[in-house]
Amino acid sequence: MSKDAAALVPAAIVLLLGVYLQSLVFLNHDVAWVLDSSARLLNGGTFGTEIVAANPPLIWWISAILHHLADTIGVAPVVFLKTAVACLILAALAYLNIERRPYLSPKRRALLLVLVAFILAIGVHRDFGQREQLSVIFCIPWVMIAIRRSMGQPISTVSAFCIGIIAGIAIAFKPHFVVLPILVTAYQLIRLRSFRVVFSPENIAIVATCVVYLGAALIFAKPYFTDVLPLITQTYWGFENSLRTMVTVNWEVFGICAATVAIVALRGFRPQEAVPAMVASGFMLAALAQAKGYSYHFYPVIFFSLFALAFVALSEGQALTKALGMFTLALAMISVTLTSRDFLQNRSVNGAYGQLTACLIALTQDNVSEDGGFMAISTHPYPGFPITNYSDRRWVAATNSRLFLPSIVRLRALSTRNADQSTTLKVAETAEHDAMLNDITHAPELVLVDERPKRHAIAWAQMDFVAFYQEDPKFAEIWSNYEKIDDCGGGISAFKLIKENG
């Protein structure tokens, strides 16, 4: 084996360890929902009708392909998905190894690849398979050619265009990600002082990919734009958090990103460090724009910050800034490692989350027939997902959670409301009652209800979800056919259908 190929071996071992650890924990709730519901598209369903979600359809289309392939070869979709992501990580590592061969020695490349493999497979902890992780993987080749472009080095037009298509897919996952090529191109404009970089093959490919995707979405997911998006625009703010809350919860990420940019600035914004720092900053802006503060929104910020710091540590430069980079990288890696350990332990069979989830899976299997269905009343995809994926029972609802409840809870909590707030509350209440009535008429054999003291997006608000839905006489009549049964504890109550809805 050549030294160049051998540089990939330690990273491959770390990747295998990561895949093994991910096999011991339950799939992320969002990823589980997308994977399961994508099968509805294979059965002729339409995004925006059979699947109602705040996010655009691209990840569902990709997941539908994976679901179809898994069914074709007879592999469980969850296993196939995790394997596919692992293969993507391996491909990114192989590309990085080849691309960095002229610039780093085999030993330094091995160190870089181990770092990347660790963050992609283990440092992502509970968010394995999320769009942000896929975006990071797809952006790695683009970041590398952006570095070379910033240095004025020649790049094959065909290679740049193909890599731009891959990056375009990553950016198309969320409209917020459009800030990534804007920041990188702005940096290149300042450095190269030439507008030709704006029309580079990779930029043209990114724009073309996004335009084609938008056109396809308008054609094949029209209800999302005409029916879902108008309601989401008015009410989805209920899931948002303040800037202060996001900073408080993710202060390590903000610190790592700020330190990275500062160190890169001290080193004169050299391309191999500045480009990933710009991408990290772009993902930070995207995370803040989404205003949720979820861990996976900030994951790309961590990855590309550490990516930039790794180049600082492995390349030549001023001793002081290099030492600062190595010190910051070490602290960040300790933080990522400890966080990943805690999340992975909690989601394993011995963790609190893992034990509750395993119990809910068994509860669902015991109380729902193989051809029956179930649903949950919760502001979070959990407990519906990943329970659905592992119980092999059908999820009947069009959404993964009650999308309009958070805004309803927040608006009802106001002592006084202005005209706009009163109108929004009425819209949200009507939409939620209609959505619930549509879901409950599928006669789910089991309904799980989140009654925990602290619930997603509404914190400690003491709202009785079932009582809210019983304000609708039609729901109240149907709900009379359900009775409470023994549950798994943990604040998740269970209600079983005792007779068919009349």
Side-chain angles (χ1 to χ4, degrees), residues 378-433:
S378 173
T379 53
H380 193 278
Y382 192 85
F385 296 90
I387 307 304
T388 301
N389 309 73
Y390 292 90
S391 65
D392 196 28
R393 296 298 186 267
R394 180 170 54 90
W395 178 258
V396 302
T399 59
N400 64 357
S401 61
R402 309 320 304 179
L403 295 181
F404 307 106
L405 269 184
S407 60
I408 293 170
V409 172
R410 295 192 185 191
L411 288 172
R412 283 192 171 192
L414 297 176
S415 56
T416 59
R417 290 185 291 272
N418 60 37
D420 288 341
Q421 291 170 333
S422 297
T423 300
T424 300
L425 177 59
K426 182 63 177 178
V427 169
E429 288 176 336
T430 301
E432 187 55 50
H433 279 301

Coordinates of all heavy atoms in Angstrom, one line a residue, residues 378-433:
S378 N -48.2 15.9 20.0 CA -46.9 16.5 20.6 C -46.5 17.6 19.7 O -46.7 17.7 18.5 CB -45.9 15.4 20.6 OG -44.6 15.9 21.0
T379 N -45.8 18.6 20.3 CA -45.2 19.7 19.5 C -43.8 19.3 19.0 O -43.1 20.1 18.3 CB -45.0 20.9 20.4 OG1 -44.3 20.6 21.6 CG2 -46.4 21.5 20.7
H380 N -43.4 18.1 19.3 CA -42.1 17.6 18.8 C -42.3 16.3 18.0 O -43.3 15.6 18.2 CB -41.2 17.2 20.0 CG -39.8 17.0 19.7 ND1 -39.3 15.8 19.3 CD2 -38.7 17.8 19.8 CE1 -38.0 15.9 19.1 NE2 -37.6 17.1 19.3
P381 N -41.5 16.0 17.0 CA -41.6 14.7 16.3 C -41.6 13.5 17.2 O -42.2 12.5 16.9 CB -40.4 14.7 15.3 CG -40.1 16.2 15.1 CD -40.4 16.8 16.5
Y382 N -40.9 13.6 18.3 CA -41.0 12.5 19.3 C -42.2 12.7 20.2 O -42.6 13.8 20.5 CB -39.7 12.6 20.2 CG -39.5 11.4 21.1 CD1 -38.8 10.3 20.6 CD2 -40.0 11.4 22.4 CE1 -38.6 9.2 21.4 CE2 -39.7 10.3 23.2 CZ -39.1 9.2 22.7 OH -38.8 8.1 23.5
P383 N -43.0 11.7 20.5 CA -42.6 10.2 20.4 C -43.0 9.6 19.1 O -42.8 8.4 18.9 CB -43.4 9.6 21.5 CG -44.7 10.5 21.6 CD -44.2 11.9 21.3
G384 N -43.6 10.3 18.1 CA -44.0 9.6 16.9 C -42.8 9.0 16.2 O -42.9 7.9 15.6
F385 N -41.7 9.7 16.2 CA -40.5 9.3 15.5 C -39.3 9.4 16.5 O -39.2 10.4 17.2 CB -40.3 10.2 14.3 CG -41.3 10.0 13.2 CD1 -42.5 10.8 13.3 CD2 -41.3 9.0 12.3 CE1 -43.5 10.6 12.4 CE2 -42.3 8.8 11.4 CZ -43.4 9.6 11.4
P386 N -38.5 8.3 16.5 CA -38.4 7.2 15.6 C -39.3 6.0 15.9 O -39.0 4.9 15.4 CB -36.9 6.9 15.6 CG -36.6 7.1 17.0 CD -37.4 8.3 17.5
I387 N -40.3 6.1 16.8 CA -41.1 5.0 17.2 C -41.7 4.3 15.9 O -41.7 3.1 15.8 CB -42.2 5.4 18.1 CG1 -41.7 6.2 19.3 CG2 -43.0 4.2 18.6 CD1 -40.7 5.5 20.1
T388 N -42.1 5.1 15.0 CA -42.7 4.5 13.8 C -41.8 3.6 13.0 O -42.1 2.5 12.6 CB -43.2 5.7 12.8 OG1 -44.1 6.5 13.5 CG2 -43.8 5.1 11.6
N389 N -40.5 4.0 12.9 CA -39.6 3.3 12.1 C -39.2 2.0 12.7 O -38.9 1.0 12.0 CB -38.3 4.2 11.9 CG -38.6 5.5 11.4 OD1 -39.1 6.4 12.1 ND2 -38.3 5.8 10.1
Y390 N -39.1 1.9 14.0 CA -38.7 0.7 14.7 C -39.8 -0.2 15.1 O -39.6 -1.4 15.4 CB -37.8 1.1 15.9 CG -36.5 1.7 15.5 CD1 -36.4 3.1 15.4 CD2 -35.4 1.0 15.3 CE1 -35.2 3.7 15.1 CE2 -34.2 1.6 14.9 CZ -34.1 2.9 14.8 OH -32.9 3.5 14.5
S391 N -41.0 0.3 15.2 CA -42.2 -0.5 15.6 C -42.8 -1.2 14.4 O -43.6 -2.1 14.5 CB -43.2 0.3 16.3 OG -43.8 1.3 15.4
D392 N -42.5 -0.7 13.2 CA -43.0 -1.3 11.9 C -44.6 -1.1 11.9 O -45.3 -2.0 11.5 CB -42.6 -2.7 11.7 CG -42.9 -3.2 10.3 OD1 -42.9 -2.3 9.4 OD2 -43.1 -4.4 10.1
R393 N -45.0 0.0 12.5 CA -46.4 0.3 12.4 C -46.6 1.6 11.7 O -45.7 2.5 11.6 CB -47.0 0.5 13.9 CG -46.9 -0.8 14.7 CD -47.8 -1.9 14.1 NE -47.8 -3.1 14.9 CZ -47.0 -4.1 14.8 NH1 -46.0 -4.1 13.9 NH2 -47.1 -5.2 15.6
R394 N -47.8 1.8 11.1 CA -48.1 2.9 10.2 C -48.4 4.2 11.0 O -49.3 4.2 11.9 CB -49.2 2.6 9.3 CG -49.7 3.6 8.3 CD -50.6 3.0 7.3 NE -51.8 2.4 7.9 CZ -52.9 3.0 8.3 NH1 -53.0 4.3 8.0 NH2 -53.9 2.4 8.9
W395 N -47.8 5.3 10.6 CA -48.0 6.6 11.1 C -49.1 7.2 10.2 O -49.0 7.4 9.0 CB -46.8 7.5 11.0 CG -46.9 8.9 11.5 CD1 -47.0 10.0 10.7 CD2 -47.0 9.4 12.9 NE1 -47.2 11.2 11.5 CE2 -47.1 10.8 12.8 CE3 -46.9 8.8 14.1 CZ2 -47.2 11.6 14.0 CZ3 -47.0 9.5 15.2 CH2 -47.1 10.9 15.2
V396 N -50.3 7.7 10.9 CA -51.4 8.1 10.1 C -51.5 9.6 9.8 O -52.2 10.0 8.9 CB -52.7 7.6 10.7 CG1 -52.8 6.1 10.9 CG2 -52.9 8.4 12.1
A397 N -50.8 10.4 10.6 CA -50.9 11.8 10.5 C -50.1 12.3 9.3 O -49.1 11.7 8.8 CB -50.3 12.5 11.7
A398 N -50.5 13.5 8.8 CA -49.8 14.1 7.6 C -48.6 14.9 8.0 O -47.7 15.2 7.2 CB -50.8 15.0 6.9
T399 N -48.5 15.2 9.3 CA -47.4 15.9 9.9 C -46.6 15.0 10.9 O -47.2 14.1 11.4 CB -47.8 17.2 10.5 OG1 -48.7 16.9 11.6 CG2 -48.5 18.1 9.5
N400 N -45.4 15.5 11.3 CA -44.7 14.7 12.3 C -45.0 15.2 13.7 O -44.6 14.5 14.7 CB -43.2 14.8 12.0 CG -42.6 16.2 12.1 OD1 -43.3 17.1 12.4 ND2 -41.3 16.3 12.0
S401 N -45.6 16.3 13.8 CA -46.0 16.9 15.1 C -47.1 17.9 14.8 O -47.5 18.1 13.7 CB -44.8 17.6 15.7 OG -44.3 18.7 14.9
R402 N -47.6 18.5 15.9 CA -48.7 19.5 15.7 C -48.1 20.8 15.5 O -47.7 21.6 16.4 CB -49.6 19.5 17.0 CG -50.1 18.1 17.5 CD -50.5 17.2 16.4 NE -51.5 17.7 15.5 CZ -52.0 17.0 14.5 NH1 -51.5 15.8 14.2 NH2 -53.0 17.6 13.7
L403 N -48.1 21.2 14.2 CA -47.3 22.3 13.7 C -47.8 23.7 14.2 O -47.0 24.6 14.4 CB -47.3 22.4 12.2 CG -46.6 21.2 11.5 CD1 -46.6 21.4 10.0 CD2 -45.1 21.1 12.0
F404 N -49.1 23.8 14.5 CA -49.7 25.1 14.9 C -49.8 25.3 16.4 O -50.2 26.4 16.8 CB -51.0 25.3 14.2 CG -51.0 25.0 12.7 CD1 -51.5 23.9 12.1 CD2 -50.3 25.9 11.9 CE1 -51.4 23.6 10.8 CE2 -50.3 25.7 10.5 CZ -50.8 24.6 9.9
L405 N -49.6 24.2 17.2 CA -49.8 24.3 18.6 C -48.9 25.4 19.3 O -49.4 26.1 20.1 CB -49.6 23.0 19.3 CG -50.9 22.1 19.4 CD1 -50.5 20.8 20.2 CD2 -52.0 22.8 20.1
P406 N -47.6 25.4 19.0 CA -46.8 26.4 19.7 C -47.3 27.8 19.6 O -47.3 28.6 20.6 CB -45.4 26.2 19.0 CG -45.4 24.8 18.6 CD -46.8 24.5 18.1
S407 N -47.6 28.3 18.4 CA -48.1 29.6 18.2 C -49.4 29.8 18.9 O -49.7 30.9 19.5 CB -48.3 30.0 16.7 OG -49.2 29.1 16.1
I408 N -50.3 28.8 19.0 CA -51.6 28.9 19.7 C -51.3 29.0 21.2 O -51.9 29.9 21.8 CB -52.4 27.6 19.4 CG1 -52.8 27.6 18.0 CG2 -53.6 27.6 20.3 CD1 -53.5 26.2 17.6
V409 N -50.4 28.2 21.7 CA -50.1 28.3 23.1 C -49.5 29.7 23.5 O -49.9 30.3 24.5 CB -49.1 27.2 23.5 CG1 -48.6 27.4 25.0 CG2 -49.7 25.9 23.4
R410 N -48.6 30.2 22.7 CA -48.0 31.5 23.0 C -49.0 32.6 22.9 O -49.0 33.6 23.7 CB -46.8 31.8 22.0 CG -45.7 30.8 22.2 CD -44.5 31.2 21.5 NE -43.4 30.3 21.5 CZ -42.1 30.5 21.2 NH1 -41.8 31.7 20.6 NH2 -41.2 29.5 21.3
L411 N -49.9 32.6 21.9 CA -50.9 33.7 21.7 C -51.9 33.6 22.8 O -52.4 34.6 23.3 CB -51.5 33.6 20.3 CG -50.6 34.0 19.2 CD1 -51.2 33.7 17.8 CD2 -50.2 35.5 19.2
R412 N -52.3 32.4 23.2 CA -53.4 32.3 24.2 C -52.8 32.8 25.6 O -53.6 33.2 26.4 CB -53.8 30.8 24.3 CG -54.8 30.4 23.2 CD -55.5 29.1 23.6 NE -56.5 28.8 22.7 CZ -57.4 27.8 22.9 NH1 -57.3 27.0 23.9 NH2 -58.4 27.6 22.0
A413 N -51.5 32.7 25.7 CA -50.9 33.1 27.0 C -50.8 34.6 27.2 O -50.6 35.1 28.3 CB -49.5 32.5 27.1
L414 N -51.1 35.4 26.1 CA -51.0 36.8 26.2 C -52.3 37.3 26.9 O -53.4 36.9 26.6 CB -51.0 37.4 24.8 CG -49.7 37.1 23.9 CD1 -49.9 37.7 22.5 CD2 -48.5 37.6 24.6
S415 N -52.0 38.2 27.8 CA -53.2 38.8 28.6 C -54.1 39.7 27.7 O -55.3 39.7 27.8 CB -52.7 39.6 29.8 OG -51.8 40.7 29.3
T416 N -53.4 40.4 26.7 CA -54.2 41.1 25.7 C -53.6 40.9 24.4 O -52.3 40.6 24.2 CB -54.1 42.7 26.0 OG1 -52.7 43.1 26.0 CG2 -54.8 43.0 27.3
R417 N -54.4 41.0 23.3 CA -53.9 40.7 22.0 C -54.4 41.8 21.1 O -55.5 42.3 21.2 CB -54.4 39.3 21.4 CG -53.8 38.1 22.1 CD -54.3 36.9 21.4 NE -55.7 36.6 21.7 CZ -56.2 36.0 22.8 NH1 -55.3 35.5 23.6 NH2 -57.5 35.8 22.9
N418 N -53.5 42.2 20.1 CA -53.9 43.2 19.2 C -54.7 42.5 18.0 O -54.8 41.3 18.0 CB -52.7 44.0 18.6 CG -51.7 43.1 17.9 OD1 -52.0 42.1 17.3 ND2 -50.4 43.4 18.1
A419 N -55.1 43.3 17.1 CA -56.0 42.7 16.0 C -55.2 41.7 15.2 O -55.8 40.6 14.9 CB -56.5 43.8 15.1
D420 N -54.0 41.9 14.9 CA -53.2 41.0 14.1 C -53.0 39.7 14.8 O -53.1 38.6 14.2 CB -51.8 41.6 13.7 CG -52.0 42.7 12.7 OD1 -53.0 42.7 12.0 OD2 -51.0 43.5 12.5
Q421 N -52.7 39.8 16.1 CA -52.5 38.6 16.9 C -53.7 37.8 17.1 O -53.7 36.5 17.0 CB -51.9 39.0 18.3 CG -50.5 39.5 18.3 CD -50.1 40.1 19.6 OE1 -50.9 40.6 20.4 NE2 -48.8 40.1 19.9
S422 N -54.8 38.5 17.2 CA -56.1 37.8 17.3 C -56.5 37.0 16.0 O -56.9 35.9 16.0 CB -57.2 38.8 17.6 OG -57.0 39.3 18.9
T423 N -56.1 37.7 14.9 CA -56.4 37.1 13.6 C -55.5 35.8 13.4 O -55.9 34.8 12.9 CB -56.1 38.1 12.4 OG1 -57.0 39.2 12.6 CG2 -56.3 37.4 11.1
T424 N -54.2 36.0 13.8 CA -53.3 34.9 13.6 C -53.7 33.7 14.5 O -53.6 32.5 14.1 CB -51.9 35.3 14.0 OG1 -51.4 36.4 13.2 CG2 -50.9 34.1 13.9
L425 N -54.2 34.0 15.7 CA -54.6 32.9 16.6 C -55.8 32.2 16.0 O -55.9 30.9 16.1 CB -55.0 33.5 18.0 CG -55.6 32.6 19.0 CD1 -54.6 31.5 19.3 CD2 -56.0 33.3 20.3
K426 N -56.7 32.9 15.5 CA -57.9 32.3 14.8 C -57.5 31.4 13.7 O -58.0 30.3 13.5 CB -58.9 33.4 14.4 CG -60.2 32.8 13.7 CD -61.0 32.0 14.8 CE -62.3 31.5 14.2 NZ -63.1 30.7 15.1
V427 N -56.6 31.9 12.9 CA -56.1 31.1 11.7 C -55.4 29.8 12.2 O -55.6 28.7 11.7 CB -55.1 31.9 10.9 CG1 -54.3 31.1 9.9 CG2 -55.8 33.1 10.2
A428 N -54.5 30.0 13.2 CA -53.8 28.8 13.7 C -54.7 27.8 14.4 O -54.6 26.6 14.2 CB -52.8 29.3 14.8
E429 N -55.7 28.3 15.1 CA -56.7 27.3 15.8 C -57.5 26.6 14.8 O -57.7 25.4 14.9 CB -57.6 28.1 16.7 CG -56.9 28.6 18.0 CD -57.8 29.5 18.8 OE1 -58.8 30.1 18.3 OE2 -57.5 29.6 20.1
T430 N -57.9 27.3 13.8 CA -58.7 26.7 12.7 C -57.9 25.6 12.0 O -58.4 24.5 11.7 CB -59.3 27.7 11.7 OG1 -60.1 28.7 12.4 CG2 -60.1 27.0 10.6
A431 N -56.7 26.0 11.6 CA -55.8 25.1 10.9 C -55.5 23.9 11.7 O -55.5 22.7 11.2 CB -54.5 25.8 10.5
E432 N -55.2 24.0 13.0 CA -54.9 22.9 13.8 C -56.1 22.0 14.1 O -55.9 20.7 14.0 CB -54.3 23.4 15.2 CG -53.7 22.3 16.1 CD -52.7 21.4 15.3 OE1 -51.8 22.0 14.7 OE2 -52.9 20.2 15.4
H433 N -57.2 22.5 14.3 CA -58.4 21.7 14.5 C -58.7 20.9 13.2 O -59.0 19.7 13.3 CB -59.6 22.6 14.9 CG -59.7 22.9 16.3 ND1 -59.7 22.0 17.3 CD2 -59.7 24.1 17.0 CE1 -59.7 22.6 18.5 NE2 -59.7 23.9 18.3

